[in-house]
Amino acid sequence: MRIATITNWAYGATVCLTIVAGITMVLASSADKVERAAVRQRDLFDQLTFEVENDLAELTDQARLATVTDDPSHAIAYERTRASLGSVEQRLARLKDGGASEQELRSLAEGLRWATTLEDEQQAAIAASRRGESATARAIVFGPEYERELERVRFLIGRFRYMLDQRSDNAIEQASQASQRLRSVSEAMVAITAALFLLVLGFILKRRILRPVMTLSDVVNRLADQDYTVETPAFSQVDEIGDMAQAIRIFRENGLERQRLERERDADWAVRDLLARMTQRLQGCESVSDLFAVVRLFAPKIAPTLAGRLYTLDNRMKLMVCAAEWRGAKDQGVKDQGVGERGPQGTDAAFGPDDCWALRRGQIHAPGGEMLDVPCRHVVPSAARATICVPLTAQGETIGLLVLENLAADHGPDDSTGIYIELMSETVGLALANLNLRDVLHQKALFDPLTGLRNRHELDDTLRRLVATADAAGTPIACLMMDIDHFKGLNDRFGHDAGDFVIRTVAAVFAGGARDDDLALRYGGEEFLMLMPGADEALALERAERIRERVAGLDLTQEGQPLGQVTVSLGLAVYPHHGPIQALITTADAALLRAKEGGRDRVVVATQRNRGGGISPAVAI
């Protein structure tokens, strides 16, 4: 039974008992009122009978004094007292109004009539005394007959008083007994109410409420401190305490679930923070090697149970080449079995894009999922079900591949880890595409697309760097300027394609004459420039002559049409012999101009200032 039902029944019983007790107390109070009324009535009757006896005695005394003393004042006093008395009917009416019964009134009326007879004898005695018949008067009021009548009146009045006392005593006794009975009933009701209250208090409050509430209070306090490991009590009763226990149990389960979700959220935020930091680091990578280092650092932290390899597409060989590999840490249960950390199974050998279904389909491929699927040929069979391949694409083109192996199970990563893998693959793919694009733009910015030689974009910075190195080592720097002779006429005669062919061929010869430390570049149009750090004038002149001879010995044919002999003119200047570094290129260009003016197909060395301030003649070959 529910506590509310028990409480309602107890409350209803208490109310009923209280009402009964109240009614009995009201009835007892009424009995007390009856008793008090009977006492007041008896007092009233006693007072009236006392007045009657007192009046009778006073009249007797006054009459006897009047007959004995012959003093007229006593007769006057007697008349005054007698006149103040009412008639018998008036006296009876007062007693009747006071509640006297008819029998009692008849008894008193008889006494009052005898009292009236005495009054007549008293008046006769006073009248005889006034006539001077004192003996007669005294014989009347002092005679035996008078005494007998006086005694009769007193007896009748005493009987009336006795009857009144009997009735009053009976009324008082009955009222007292009724009051006592009602008080006993009221006290019994109060006792029953108190017993019921104590029973309810002891049974419900202590057993059904206090003990369970104290137990639940301890559980609630621990839950308030977020100690969800506490076990909630199992109360089987179907009442409010059971409802509270069920609510607390649900609250605990919700708290455990909330803690689990908070741990997952914190872990998710931690992984997202790693992804954000990885993205920032990838954005700051200056080279593909920097990107590989970032991936090797962050990938095991983002997905600890996954080992992986990062492949990039080699466009020249059309193969997926392993660029980075990282080891994954398995979960604690697997570590306890002695497996520890390891890398992905299989080798890091290159493979063709057609060997991977992820590259074929352009989307993630996980053969170890719920649906049966075909494993990739580049994955070893023992790791096929635990491997997931994620293509890296940019603008619809495949630029790389992530191959991840789940070390904690024989299937691919779960959904939450799959989301991180997708984000990581997008970030890595975008960063790799940006680096490739930057490399392409860098190539276009630094190299001439026609000849493959460097252009003038970083010439000044390179020259300053070479000069700083040469000054520190005390070595010279040679600068060689070359120009194709009569190129405009050749271009006009055979066309631009033939002109480009000649420029590419001459550039190849020019670049072939450079050492590893030399810098050969296309200076502009059909002009070329070479910086040779550490080369003195003799060495530079020898190499310049070799280049001139090789170009002159070319037999060029464009689409079956001979282009004739091609020659070049070269100007040479050496720092610091031919002037300051600021004028090195200008000095070499001036030497080239003199070579053209001198008949072309030759090498001219810049003039050198002698110590006396004169100018030595240019050397022409």
Side-chain angles (χ1 to χ4, degrees), residues 322-390:
C322 182
E325 178 179 325
W326 59 91
R327 302 165 66 86
K330 303 188 74 173
D331 59 2
Q332 187 64 36
V334 177
K335 282 185 177 181
D336 292 341
Q337 298 175 10
V339 177
E341 298 182 355
R342 63 175 177 84
Q345 299 184 45
T347 65
D348 58 356
F351 59 89
D354 291 340
D355 291 336
C356 180
W357 283 95
L359 298 178
R360 290 188 188 185
R361 300 164 58 226
Q363 56 184 335
I364 296 176
H365 184 69
E370 296 179 356
M371 302 297 293
L372 182 64
D373 210 336
V374 181
C376 298
R377 289 197 295 267
H378 64 90
V379 179
V380 296
S382 60
R385 291 186 55 81
T387 301
I388 178 174
C389 297
V390 184

Side-chain angles (χ1 to χ4, degrees), residues 34-46:
V34 172
E35 182 180 1
R36 288 192 295 272
V39 172
R40 286 194 301 270
Q41 187 183 52
R42 186 177 63 179
D43 292 341
L44 177 62
F45 289 163
D46 288 341

Side-chain angles (χ1 to χ4, degrees), residues 54-116:
N54 187 46
D55 293 342
L56 179 61
E58 186 176 357
L59 288 174
T60 300
D61 292 340
Q62 293 293 338
R64 287 179 174 178
L65 288 173
T67 59
V68 173
T69 62
D70 295 331
D71 187 356
S73 62
H74 294 294
I76 295 171
Y78 172 81
E79 292 297 335
R80 187 181 297 114
T81 301
R82 183 173 175 276
S84 63
L85 299 176
S87 62
V88 175
E89 289 76 10
Q90 291 176 345
R91 293 182 180 182
L92 293 176
R94 290 178 62 190
L95 291 171
K96 186 176 183 181
D97 293 340
S101 64
E102 293 295 333
Q103 182 180 3
E104 295 168 346
L105 291 176
R106 285 195 299 270
S107 175
L108 182 61
E110 183 179 0
L112 291 177
R113 283 194 297 270
W114 283 105
T116 303

Side-chain angles (χ1 to χ4, degrees), residues 275-304:
L275 285 170
R277 290 164 57 193
M278 178 180 178
T279 302
Q280 295 174 354
R281 304 306 183 271
L282 290 176
Q283 291 175 352
C285 290
E286 294 291 340
S287 62
V288 176
S289 59
D290 290 343
L291 182 143
F292 297 154
V294 171
V295 172
R296 281 193 298 268
L297 176 63
F298 282 92
K301 304 297 182 182
I302 295 174

Side-chain angles (χ1 to χ4, degrees), residues 404-453:
L404 305 172
E405 181 184 344
N406 189 1
L407 304 180
D410 61 348
H411 56 78
D414 54 21
D415 294 338
S416 60
T417 307
I419 296 175
Y420 305 144
I421 292 173
E422 291 183 8
L423 294 175
M424 183 173 65
S425 64
E426 292 177 1
T427 303
V428 174
L430 180 61
L432 186 59
N434 290 336
L435 288 175
N436 292 339
L437 178 61
R438 186 166 64 178
D439 290 341
V440 172
L441 295 177
H442 187 261
Q443 291 291 331
K444 291 182 178 180
L446 298 182
F447 293 87
D448 177 55
L450 180 60
T451 62
L453 298 178

Side-chain angles (χ1 to χ4, degrees), residues 26 33 36 217-218 239 260 272 356 384 391 455:
V26 171
K33 290 181 180 179
R36 288 192 295 272
S217 176
D218 179 66
D239 57 10
R260 185 185 66 81
R272 290 182 181 272
C356 180
N455 54 29

